[in-house]
């Protein structure tokens, strides 16, 4: 094994905020986002570039954070799913996914949102074929993709018309509550307790 | 799945990169887009203790119809208006590599230097250790063609097939000197050695012939999923017809063996003659005879072999009539 290279300081711009971090040289952007910055909206799926769950945008281009070393995005603008909404107003792509039913279990959704919003910047009025091609790297095992394709076209229409954001028909936010308190509190032996210790922000 | 620990080097110039590699003989890998290397590292496949990133290196991103730098991304290739106008086969081939997301990071150099793939190699550490590992990983035996002499892992680069058909030249720079070598000759029919590169040589780009835009060139790819996948078979053909006769004919079969195979002995008798329907049928049949797929990818070898004449026939007709 190699001699261990010490962690080194790195400045990352995530969602417009500058972060001064100490990172391991072999840390991926996904590792840093989730484990150091606690931006857990970006999901760890296959971790091999196959599923698209970890998609983020670097300078507006959708990339896979599981196959991008954190050191390689120093000084570049990184946008994650947490940077899409504007206060309480969702991004038109988020609105479209919610109103079209483009999200079910939700695990793949952040990756889709990031891929779609980058795609629509370069292709504002896509054909079905272009949408299929653009989303070929994002897997969803729930929706069957039809609702996602509908959401893409709806979002494209809204963005073409100036990005007027429509409020959600149904407010689901009341469904998100506090995580149940861990009944066993030893993080060495209990997954939920360990997760709550790692991610104290993980509450409703 | 964490990456194994390694020392990351981020040189700023080509010379610095080559010099850094030379300081760690046998212990370093080049990192371009990372879409091939990093998954292999996560699976603990031949990970090295030093990784030399090419992201900050200047001078590897030229993109013209006669010269393409190694760090040009596949997305940039598919979106290049100049290539689309003069060599549309290159954007068309790039568009068939992997997915949009992988093409945003994946580079031409990385695709040309892709690690050979095999059912017995591209597996998790746990899977490999559940029985005897293959000679390309931790073992000493090939399970595809059982013996201990040669690795039969398949070379799965789409771009290599097309660029070999276009007579591209690889530009290499080593610690001592630089050199140019026909891309076809860079590849070895050995799944472990893979390239005729001297240790520490860096692929800095490919050069294309000035006359390549006057040729008709195409690429056909067989894959499991249309949205994205490694090729199970790639056929690249480049022809030129002058006064009704073939003045050039190159057929390259890709993703069947350890390296792209140019069927020069098959095509040579047809240069100078017309590309008739009969000639096309004969070339398709001869290509089938020459194809040697191995049983180490998703599709069975007999199916991949049967698709060779289908693609050769289809592509030759398309190029002749276009």
């Amino acid at each position: 094994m190699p001699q261990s290279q010490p962690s080194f300081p790195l400045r990352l711009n995530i969602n417009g905020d500058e972060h001064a971090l100490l990172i391991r040289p072999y840390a991926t952007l996904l590792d840093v986002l989730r484990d150091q910055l606690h931006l857990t909206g970006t999901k760890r799926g296959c971790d091999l570039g196959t599923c698209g769950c970890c998609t983020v945008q670097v300078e507006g281009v959708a990339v896979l954070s599981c196959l991008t070393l954190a050191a390689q995005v120093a000084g570049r603008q990184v946008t994650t799913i947490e940077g899409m909404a504007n206060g309480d107003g969702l991004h038109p792509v988020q609105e479209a996914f919610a109103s079209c039913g483009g999200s079910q279990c939700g695990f793949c959704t952040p990756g889709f949102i990031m891929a779609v919003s980058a795609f629509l910047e370069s292709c504002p009025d896509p054909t079905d074929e272009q949408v299929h091609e653009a989303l070929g790297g994002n897997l969803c095992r729930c929706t069957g993709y039809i609702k996602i394709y509908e959401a893409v076209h709806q979002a494209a229409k809204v963005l073409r018309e100036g990005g007027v954001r429509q409020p959600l028909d149904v407010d689901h936010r009341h469904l998100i509550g506090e995580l149940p308190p861990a009944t066993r509190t030893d993080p060495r032996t209990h997954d939920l307790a360990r997760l709550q210790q790692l991610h104290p922000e993980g509450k409703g | 799945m964490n990456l194994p620990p390694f020392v990351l080097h981020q040189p700023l110039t080509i010379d610095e990169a080559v010099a850094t590699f030379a300081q760690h003989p046998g212990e370093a890998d080049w990192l371009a887009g990372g879409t091939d290397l990093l998954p292999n590292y996560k699976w603990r496949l031949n990970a090295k203790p030093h990784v030399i990133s090419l992201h900050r290196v200047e001078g590897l991103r030229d993109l013209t119809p006669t010269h393409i730098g190694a760090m040009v991304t596949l997305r940039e290739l598919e979106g290049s208006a100049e290539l689309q106008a003069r060599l549309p086969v290159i954007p068309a081939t790039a568009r068939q590599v992997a997915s949009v997301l992988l093409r945003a990071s994946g580079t031409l150099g990385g695709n040309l230097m892709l690690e050979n793939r095999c059912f017995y190699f591209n597996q998790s550490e746990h899977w490999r250790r559940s029985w005897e590992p293959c000679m390309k990983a931790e073992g000493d035996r090939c399970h595809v063609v059982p013996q201990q002499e040669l690795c039969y892992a398949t070379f799965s680069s789409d771009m290599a097939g097309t660029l070999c058909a276009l007579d591209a030249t690889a530009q290499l720079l080593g610690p001592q000197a630089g050199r140019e070598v026909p891309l076809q000759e860079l590849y070895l029919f050995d799944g472990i050695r893979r390239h005729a590169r001297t240790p520490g040589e860096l692929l800095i780009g490919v050069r294309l012939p000035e006359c390549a835009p006057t040729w008709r060139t195409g690429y056909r790819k067989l894959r499991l999923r249309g949205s994205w996948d490694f090729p199970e078979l790639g056929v690249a053909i480049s022809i030129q017809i002058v006064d009704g006769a073939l003045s050039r004919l190159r057929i390259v079969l890709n993703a069947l063996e350890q390296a792209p195979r140019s069927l020069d002995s098959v095509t040579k008798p047809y240069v100078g003659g017309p590309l008739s329907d009969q000639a096309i049928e004969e070339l398709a049949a001869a290509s089938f005879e020459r194809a040697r797929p191995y049983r180490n990818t998703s599709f069975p070898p007999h199916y991949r072999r049967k698709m060779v004449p289908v693609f050769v026939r289809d592509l030759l007709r398309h190029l002749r009539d276009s």
Side-chain angles (χ1 to χ4, degrees), chain B residues 52-101:
Chain B
I52 301 170
S53 168
L54 301 173
H55 274 81
R56 296 183 182 175
V57 174
E58 298 284 341
L60 296 177
R61 297 177 193 272
D62 291 348
L63 176 53
T64 73
T66 55
H67 179 249
I68 306 174
M71 285 298 285
V72 171
T73 67
L74 296 167
R75 178 82 70 86
E76 289 167 338
L77 285 182
E78 67 175 301
S80 164
E82 198 173 5
L83 283 180
Q84 187 63 43
R86 300 199 62 202
L87 280 169
V89 67
I90 293 179
T93 305
R95 205 167 292 127
Q96 295 181 62
V97 180
S99 68
V100 169
L101 294 172

Tab-separated table of all heavy atoms in Angstrom, chain B residues 52-101:
chain	number	residue	atom	x	y	z
B	52	ILE	N	-1.821	9.993	-11.318
B	52	ILE	CA	-1.409	11.276	-11.888
B	52	ILE	C	-2.573	11.826	-12.704
B	52	ILE	O	-2.911	11.314	-13.767
B	52	ILE	CB	-0.150	11.103	-12.759
B	52	ILE	CG1	0.970	10.526	-11.894
B	52	ILE	CG2	0.263	12.434	-13.389
B	52	ILE	CD1	2.179	10.097	-12.659
B	53	SER	N	-3.195	12.847	-12.174
B	53	SER	CA	-4.360	13.448	-12.834
B	53	SER	C	-3.907	14.360	-13.969
B	53	SER	O	-2.971	15.146	-13.822
B	53	SER	CB	-5.174	14.252	-11.812
B	53	SER	OG	-6.128	15.039	-12.488
B	54	LEU	N	-4.593	14.249	-15.093
B	54	LEU	CA	-4.260	15.081	-16.257
B	54	LEU	C	-5.193	16.279	-16.391
B	54	LEU	O	-5.139	17.000	-17.378
B	54	LEU	CB	-4.326	14.223	-17.534
B	54	LEU	CG	-3.380	13.016	-17.545
B	54	LEU	CD1	-3.640	12.150	-18.766
B	54	LEU	CD2	-1.927	13.475	-17.533
B	55	HIS	N	-6.053	16.496	-15.392
B	55	HIS	CA	-7.072	17.536	-15.531
B	55	HIS	C	-6.505	18.942	-15.667
B	55	HIS	O	-7.094	19.781	-16.330
B	55	HIS	CB	-8.026	17.493	-14.327
B	55	HIS	CG	-9.130	16.522	-14.531
B	55	HIS	ND1	-8.965	15.179	-14.328
B	55	HIS	CD2	-10.394	16.685	-14.963
B	55	HIS	CE1	-10.103	14.561	-14.613
B	55	HIS	NE2	-10.979	15.446	-14.999
B	56	ARG	N	-5.394	19.194	-15.014
B	56	ARG	CA	-4.870	20.555	-15.031
B	56	ARG	C	-3.756	20.737	-16.064
B	56	ARG	O	-3.184	21.822	-16.152
B	56	ARG	CB	-4.336	20.930	-13.645
B	56	ARG	CG	-5.433	20.943	-12.602
B	56	ARG	CD	-4.905	21.395	-11.264
B	56	ARG	NE	-5.946	21.351	-10.260
B	56	ARG	CZ	-5.746	21.595	-8.976
B	56	ARG	NH1	-4.539	21.900	-8.541
B	56	ARG	NH2	-6.750	21.539	-8.115
B	57	VAL	N	-3.458	19.670	-16.789
B	57	VAL	CA	-2.340	19.740	-17.736
B	57	VAL	C	-2.753	20.549	-18.964
B	57	VAL	O	-3.777	20.275	-19.587
B	57	VAL	CB	-1.903	18.317	-18.149
B	57	VAL	CG1	-0.842	18.388	-19.243
B	57	VAL	CG2	-1.377	17.555	-16.941
B	58	GLU	N	-1.943	21.524	-19.297
B	58	GLU	CA	-2.210	22.355	-20.478
B	58	GLU	C	-1.801	21.599	-21.741
B	58	GLU	O	-0.882	20.781	-21.720
B	58	GLU	CB	-1.389	23.653	-20.392
B	58	GLU	CG	-1.719	24.541	-19.205
B	58	GLU	CD	-3.021	25.294	-19.420
B	58	GLU	OE1	-3.444	25.397	-20.582
B	58	GLU	OE2	-3.616	25.741	-18.416
B	59	GLY	N	-2.497	21.884	-22.835
B	59	GLY	CA	-2.049	21.390	-24.139
B	59	GLY	C	-2.586	20.032	-24.533
B	59	GLY	O	-2.069	19.423	-25.473
B	60	LEU	N	-3.611	19.553	-23.838
B	60	LEU	CA	-4.164	18.237	-24.187
B	60	LEU	C	-5.608	18.348	-24.668
B	60	LEU	O	-6.318	17.354	-24.732
B	60	LEU	CB	-4.103	17.294	-22.978
B	60	LEU	CG	-2.713	16.938	-22.451
B	60	LEU	CD1	-2.819	16.062	-21.207
B	60	LEU	CD2	-1.909	16.211	-23.519
B	61	ARG	N	-6.037	19.576	-25.000
B	61	ARG	CA	-7.466	19.744	-25.333
B	61	ARG	C	-7.690	20.343	-26.723
B	61	ARG	O	-8.756	20.897	-26.992
B	61	ARG	CB	-8.147	20.612	-24.261
B	61	ARG	CG	-8.136	19.965	-22.884
B	61	ARG	CD	-8.734	20.860	-21.819
B	61	ARG	NE	-8.443	20.370	-20.486
B	61	ARG	CZ	-9.188	19.501	-19.814
B	61	ARG	NH1	-10.282	19.022	-20.364
B	61	ARG	NH2	-8.833	19.089	-18.598
B	62	ASP	N	-6.709	20.232	-27.613
B	62	ASP	CA	-6.904	20.709	-28.986
B	62	ASP	C	-7.997	19.887	-29.657
B	62	ASP	O	-8.099	18.675	-29.451
B	62	ASP	CB	-5.615	20.540	-29.806
B	62	ASP	CG	-4.531	21.485	-29.330
B	62	ASP	OD1	-4.860	22.390	-28.549
B	62	ASP	OD2	-3.377	21.295	-29.753
B	63	LEU	N	-8.779	20.547	-30.497
B	63	LEU	CA	-9.831	19.817	-31.215
B	63	LEU	C	-9.975	20.408	-32.607
B	63	LEU	O	-10.602	21.450	-32.802
B	63	LEU	CB	-11.158	19.898	-30.434
B	63	LEU	CG	-12.385	19.260	-31.086
B	63	LEU	CD1	-12.110	17.824	-31.487
B	63	LEU	CD2	-13.579	19.307	-30.141
B	64	THR	N	-9.345	19.747	-33.581
B	64	THR	CA	-9.484	20.137	-34.984
B	64	THR	C	-9.705	18.854	-35.785
B	64	THR	O	-9.511	17.756	-35.263
B	64	THR	CB	-8.206	20.834	-35.509
B	64	THR	OG1	-7.179	19.846	-35.674
B	64	THR	CG2	-7.737	21.929	-34.571
B	65	PRO	N	-10.086	18.970	-37.069
B	65	PRO	CA	-10.285	17.747	-37.862
B	65	PRO	C	-9.004	16.952	-38.108
B	65	PRO	O	-9.053	15.817	-38.592
B	65	PRO	CB	-10.865	18.275	-39.177
B	65	PRO	CG	-11.502	19.564	-38.820
B	65	PRO	CD	-10.621	20.157	-37.755
B	66	THR	N	-7.848	17.523	-37.829
B	66	THR	CA	-6.606	16.770	-38.038
B	66	THR	C	-5.882	16.444	-36.733
B	66	THR	O	-4.914	15.686	-36.750
B	66	THR	CB	-5.629	17.558	-38.939
B	66	THR	OG1	-5.422	18.853	-38.353
B	66	THR	CG2	-6.191	17.702	-40.342
B	67	HIS	N	-6.321	16.997	-35.637
B	67	HIS	CA	-5.650	16.709	-34.363
B	67	HIS	C	-6.635	16.815	-33.196
B	67	HIS	O	-7.347	17.818	-33.065
B	67	HIS	CB	-4.488	17.679	-34.132
B	67	HIS	CG	-3.788	17.421	-32.834
B	67	HIS	ND1	-3.856	18.303	-31.773
B	67	HIS	CD2	-3.056	16.369	-32.419
B	67	HIS	CE1	-3.175	17.805	-30.760
B	67	HIS	NE2	-2.682	16.631	-31.124
B	68	ILE	N	-6.687	15.769	-32.400
B	68	ILE	CA	-7.574	15.778	-31.236
B	68	ILE	C	-6.740	15.435	-30.006
B	68	ILE	O	-6.067	14.388	-29.964
B	68	ILE	CB	-8.723	14.760	-31.391
B	68	ILE	CG1	-9.476	14.988	-32.699
B	68	ILE	CG2	-9.682	14.870	-30.207
B	68	ILE	CD1	-10.538	13.940	-32.988
B	69	GLY	N	-6.775	16.317	-29.020
B	69	GLY	CA	-6.022	16.095	-27.790
B	69	GLY	C	-6.645	15.000	-26.938
B	69	GLY	O	-7.858	14.751	-26.995
B	70	ALA	N	-5.811	14.367	-26.129
B	70	ALA	CA	-6.264	13.211	-25.343
B	70	ALA	C	-7.322	13.597	-24.314
B	70	ALA	O	-8.148	12.769	-23.941
B	70	ALA	CB	-5.069	12.561	-24.653
B	71	MET	N	-7.308	14.845	-23.834
B	71	MET	CA	-8.246	15.224	-22.773
B	71	MET	C	-9.524	15.874	-23.302
B	71	MET	O	-10.315	16.413	-22.521
B	71	MET	CB	-7.552	16.153	-21.773
B	71	MET	CG	-6.584	15.434	-20.839
B	71	MET	SD	-7.392	14.191	-19.801
B	71	MET	CE	-8.225	15.229	-18.621
B	72	VAL	N	-9.736	15.838	-24.599
B	72	VAL	CA	-11.019	16.291	-25.146
B	72	VAL	C	-12.085	15.296	-24.698
B	72	VAL	O	-11.915	14.083	-24.832
B	72	VAL	CB	-10.960	16.359	-26.688
B	72	VAL	CG1	-12.343	16.616	-27.270
B	72	VAL	CG2	-9.987	17.438	-27.125
B	73	THR	N	-13.174	15.804	-24.145
B	73	THR	CA	-14.196	14.872	-23.655
B	73	THR	C	-15.022	14.327	-24.819
B	73	THR	O	-15.112	14.935	-25.896
B	73	THR	CB	-15.149	15.542	-22.644
B	73	THR	OG1	-15.913	16.537	-23.327
B	73	THR	CG2	-14.385	16.166	-21.485
B	74	LEU	N	-15.639	13.196	-24.562
B	74	LEU	CA	-16.493	12.585	-25.589
B	74	LEU	C	-17.683	13.501	-25.880
B	74	LEU	O	-18.172	13.558	-27.007
B	74	LEU	CB	-16.951	11.208	-25.116
B	74	LEU	CG	-15.795	10.216	-24.933
B	74	LEU	CD1	-16.253	8.990	-24.165
B	74	LEU	CD2	-15.212	9.813	-26.269
B	75	ARG	N	-18.154	14.227	-24.874
B	75	ARG	CA	-19.241	15.187	-25.083
B	75	ARG	C	-18.798	16.293	-26.045
B	75	ARG	O	-19.569	16.736	-26.898
B	75	ARG	CB	-19.660	15.788	-23.736
B	75	ARG	CG	-20.753	16.849	-23.797
B	75	ARG	CD	-22.145	16.267	-23.863
B	75	ARG	NE	-22.501	15.650	-22.622
B	75	ARG	CZ	-23.046	16.300	-21.581
B	75	ARG	NH1	-23.272	17.591	-21.652
B	75	ARG	NH2	-23.376	15.648	-20.491
B	76	GLU	N	-17.553	16.753	-25.879
B	76	GLU	CA	-17.043	17.781	-26.791
B	76	GLU	C	-16.918	17.242	-28.212
B	76	GLU	O	-17.177	17.949	-29.180
B	76	GLU	CB	-15.689	18.297	-26.284
B	76	GLU	CG	-15.815	19.155	-25.027
B	76	GLU	CD	-14.491	19.412	-24.329
B	76	GLU	OE1	-13.529	18.624	-24.532
B	76	GLU	OE2	-14.419	20.378	-23.561
B	77	LEU	N	-16.528	15.973	-28.338
B	77	LEU	CA	-16.435	15.371	-29.672
B	77	LEU	C	-17.802	15.317	-30.342
B	77	LEU	O	-17.950	15.654	-31.509
B	77	LEU	CB	-15.860	13.952	-29.582
B	77	LEU	CG	-14.367	13.800	-29.330
B	77	LEU	CD1	-13.993	12.320	-29.328
B	77	LEU	CD2	-13.560	14.530	-30.394
B	78	GLU	N	-18.810	14.889	-29.593
B	78	GLU	CA	-20.123	14.741	-30.216
B	78	GLU	C	-20.756	16.086	-30.523
B	78	GLU	O	-21.620	16.174	-31.385
B	78	GLU	CB	-21.050	13.872	-29.359
B	78	GLU	CG	-21.458	14.460	-28.039
B	78	GLU	CD	-22.464	13.575	-27.311
B	78	GLU	OE1	-23.541	13.313	-27.866
B	78	GLU	OE2	-22.154	13.159	-26.189
B	79	GLY	N	-20.320	17.140	-29.830
B	79	GLY	CA	-20.903	18.453	-30.062
B	79	GLY	C	-20.086	19.342	-30.979
B	79	GLY	O	-20.459	20.491	-31.205
B	80	SER	N	-18.998	18.829	-31.513
B	80	SER	CA	-18.124	19.677	-32.330
B	80	SER	C	-18.728	19.924	-33.705
B	80	SER	O	-18.887	19.005	-34.510
B	80	SER	CB	-16.746	19.004	-32.476
B	80	SER	OG	-16.033	19.601	-33.544
B	81	ALA	N	-19.029	21.191	-34.004
B	81	ALA	CA	-19.617	21.526	-35.309
B	81	ALA	C	-18.614	21.288	-36.430
B	81	ALA	O	-18.984	20.865	-37.535
B	81	ALA	CB	-20.063	22.987	-35.293
B	82	GLU	N	-17.335	21.534	-36.159
B	82	GLU	CA	-16.309	21.360	-37.199
B	82	GLU	C	-16.165	19.883	-37.567
B	82	GLU	O	-16.079	19.524	-38.741
B	82	GLU	CB	-14.981	21.929	-36.694
B	82	GLU	CG	-13.992	22.192	-37.805
B	82	GLU	CD	-12.749	22.903	-37.322
B	82	GLU	OE1	-12.627	23.108	-36.090
B	82	GLU	OE2	-11.891	23.229	-38.172
B	83	LEU	N	-16.144	19.022	-36.540
B	83	LEU	CA	-16.074	17.586	-36.833
B	83	LEU	C	-17.350	17.120	-37.521
B	83	LEU	O	-17.310	16.286	-38.435
B	83	LEU	CB	-15.858	16.786	-35.540
B	83	LEU	CG	-14.449	16.779	-34.949
B	83	LEU	CD1	-14.422	15.930	-33.683
B	83	LEU	CD2	-13.432	16.256	-35.953
B	84	GLN	N	-18.478	17.643	-37.078
B	84	GLN	CA	-19.748	17.235	-37.679
B	84	GLN	C	-19.760	17.560	-39.172
B	84	GLN	O	-20.297	16.810	-39.975
B	84	GLN	CB	-20.899	17.955	-36.970
B	84	GLN	CG	-22.292	17.504	-37.388
B	84	GLN	CD	-22.552	16.043	-37.045
B	84	GLN	OE1	-22.212	15.570	-35.967
B	84	GLN	NE2	-23.123	15.305	-37.988
B	85	ALA	N	-19.132	18.678	-39.528
B	85	ALA	CA	-19.114	19.080	-40.931
B	85	ALA	C	-18.102	18.282	-41.744
B	85	ALA	O	-18.344	17.963	-42.903
B	85	ALA	CB	-18.802	20.572	-41.026
B	86	ARG	N	-16.969	17.931	-41.146
B	86	ARG	CA	-15.884	17.336	-41.947
B	86	ARG	C	-15.677	15.844	-41.676
B	86	ARG	O	-15.315	15.097	-42.560
B	86	ARG	CB	-14.584	18.096	-41.681
B	86	ARG	CG	-14.707	19.583	-42.052
B	86	ARG	CD	-13.370	20.224	-42.231
B	86	ARG	NE	-12.633	19.607	-43.319
B	86	ARG	CZ	-11.308	19.662	-43.437
B	86	ARG	NH1	-10.605	20.286	-42.524
B	86	ARG	NH2	-10.708	19.089	-44.452
B	87	LEU	N	-15.880	15.408	-40.449
B	87	LEU	CA	-15.700	13.981	-40.115
B	87	LEU	C	-16.846	13.533	-39.204
B	87	LEU	O	-16.629	13.217	-38.031
B	87	LEU	CB	-14.349	13.778	-39.399
B	87	LEU	CG	-13.106	13.721	-40.270
B	87	LEU	CD1	-11.854	13.785	-39.414
B	87	LEU	CD2	-13.095	12.440	-41.111
B	88	PRO	N	-18.063	13.495	-39.743
B	88	PRO	CA	-19.223	13.229	-38.869
B	88	PRO	C	-19.186	11.863	-38.198
B	88	PRO	O	-19.902	11.644	-37.221
B	88	PRO	CB	-20.412	13.352	-39.833
B	88	PRO	CG	-19.844	13.194	-41.202
B	88	PRO	CD	-18.446	13.724	-41.150
B	89	VAL	N	-18.355	10.959	-38.709
B	89	VAL	CA	-18.289	9.644	-38.074
B	89	VAL	C	-17.725	9.735	-36.647
B	89	VAL	O	-18.076	8.913	-35.780
B	89	VAL	CB	-17.455	8.661	-38.928
B	89	VAL	CG1	-15.988	9.079	-38.966
B	89	VAL	CG2	-17.594	7.245	-38.406
B	90	ILE	N	-16.906	10.738	-36.383
B	90	ILE	CA	-16.321	10.846	-35.035
B	90	ILE	C	-17.386	11.270	-34.016
B	90	ILE	O	-17.553	10.603	-32.980
B	90	ILE	CB	-15.091	11.774	-35.039
B	90	ILE	CG1	-13.974	11.108	-35.859
B	90	ILE	CG2	-14.614	12.072	-33.627
B	90	ILE	CD1	-12.701	11.928	-35.955
B	91	PRO	N	-18.147	12.358	-34.268
B	91	PRO	CA	-19.252	12.653	-33.332
B	91	PRO	C	-20.255	11.500	-33.237
B	91	PRO	O	-20.760	11.206	-32.146
B	91	PRO	CB	-19.905	13.901	-33.926
B	91	PRO	CG	-18.870	14.527	-34.773
B	91	PRO	CD	-18.010	13.423	-35.285
B	92	ALA	N	-20.531	10.846	-34.368
B	92	ALA	CA	-21.516	9.759	-34.352
B	92	ALA	C	-21.027	8.594	-33.489
B	92	ALA	O	-21.811	7.958	-32.769
B	92	ALA	CB	-21.789	9.278	-35.771
B	93	THR	N	-19.741	8.312	-33.548
B	93	THR	CA	-19.191	7.234	-32.716
B	93	THR	C	-19.172	7.648	-31.251
B	93	THR	O	-19.559	6.872	-30.370
B	93	THR	CB	-17.758	6.874	-33.166
B	93	THR	OG1	-17.784	6.545	-34.555
B	93	THR	CG2	-17.221	5.693	-32.385
B	94	ALA	N	-18.742	8.888	-30.988
B	94	ALA	CA	-18.690	9.364	-29.602
B	94	ALA	C	-20.071	9.300	-28.958
B	94	ALA	O	-20.211	8.955	-27.780
B	94	ALA	CB	-18.154	10.796	-29.560
B	95	ARG	N	-21.100	9.599	-29.757
B	95	ARG	CA	-22.468	9.599	-29.235
B	95	ARG	C	-22.916	8.196	-28.807
B	95	ARG	O	-23.864	8.047	-28.047
B	95	ARG	CB	-23.407	10.154	-30.309
B	95	ARG	CG	-24.685	10.764	-29.800
B	95	ARG	CD	-25.374	11.552	-30.904
B	95	ARG	NE	-24.625	12.732	-31.281
B	95	ARG	CZ	-24.265	13.032	-32.532
B	95	ARG	NH1	-24.592	12.249	-33.526
B	95	ARG	NH2	-23.575	14.132	-32.769
B	96	GLN	N	-22.241	7.170	-29.305
B	96	GLN	CA	-22.626	5.799	-28.964
B	96	GLN	C	-21.868	5.252	-27.758
B	96	GLN	O	-22.080	4.117	-27.339
B	96	GLN	CB	-22.394	4.878	-30.169
B	96	GLN	CG	-23.282	5.223	-31.349
B	96	GLN	CD	-23.063	4.288	-32.520
B	96	GLN	OE1	-23.285	3.088	-32.420
B	96	GLN	NE2	-22.620	4.829	-33.636
B	97	VAL	N	-20.951	6.051	-27.218
B	97	VAL	CA	-20.175	5.593	-26.064
B	97	VAL	C	-20.976	5.876	-24.789
B	97	VAL	O	-21.410	7.005	-24.557
B	97	VAL	CB	-18.818	6.323	-25.981
B	97	VAL	CG1	-18.026	5.833	-24.776
B	97	VAL	CG2	-18.025	6.122	-27.255
B	98	ALA	N	-21.182	4.857	-23.986
B	98	ALA	CA	-21.743	5.017	-22.639
B	98	ALA	C	-22.974	5.922	-22.621
B	98	ALA	O	-23.792	5.886	-23.538
B	98	ALA	CB	-20.661	5.539	-21.692
B	99	SER	N	-23.130	6.714	-21.573
B	99	SER	CA	-24.296	7.588	-21.411
B	99	SER	C	-23.863	9.048	-21.462
B	99	SER	O	-22.675	9.366	-21.394
B	99	SER	CB	-24.966	7.318	-20.064
B	99	SER	OG	-24.127	7.742	-19.017
B	100	VAL	N	-24.852	9.933	-21.558
B	100	VAL	CA	-24.564	11.372	-21.565
B	100	VAL	C	-23.709	11.748	-20.359
B	100	VAL	O	-22.752	12.519	-20.472
B	100	VAL	CB	-25.880	12.172	-21.548
B	100	VAL	CG1	-25.620	13.644	-21.296
B	100	VAL	CG2	-26.619	11.994	-22.866
B	101	LEU	N	-24.044	11.222	-19.206
B	101	LEU	CA	-23.336	11.589	-17.978
B	101	LEU	C	-21.883	11.128	-18.019
B	101	LEU	O	-20.978	11.846	-17.598
B	101	LEU	CB	-24.038	10.989	-16.756
B	101	LEU	CG	-25.434	11.535	-16.466
B	101	LEU	CD1	-26.103	10.737	-15.369
B	101	LEU	CD2	-25.354	13.005	-16.088
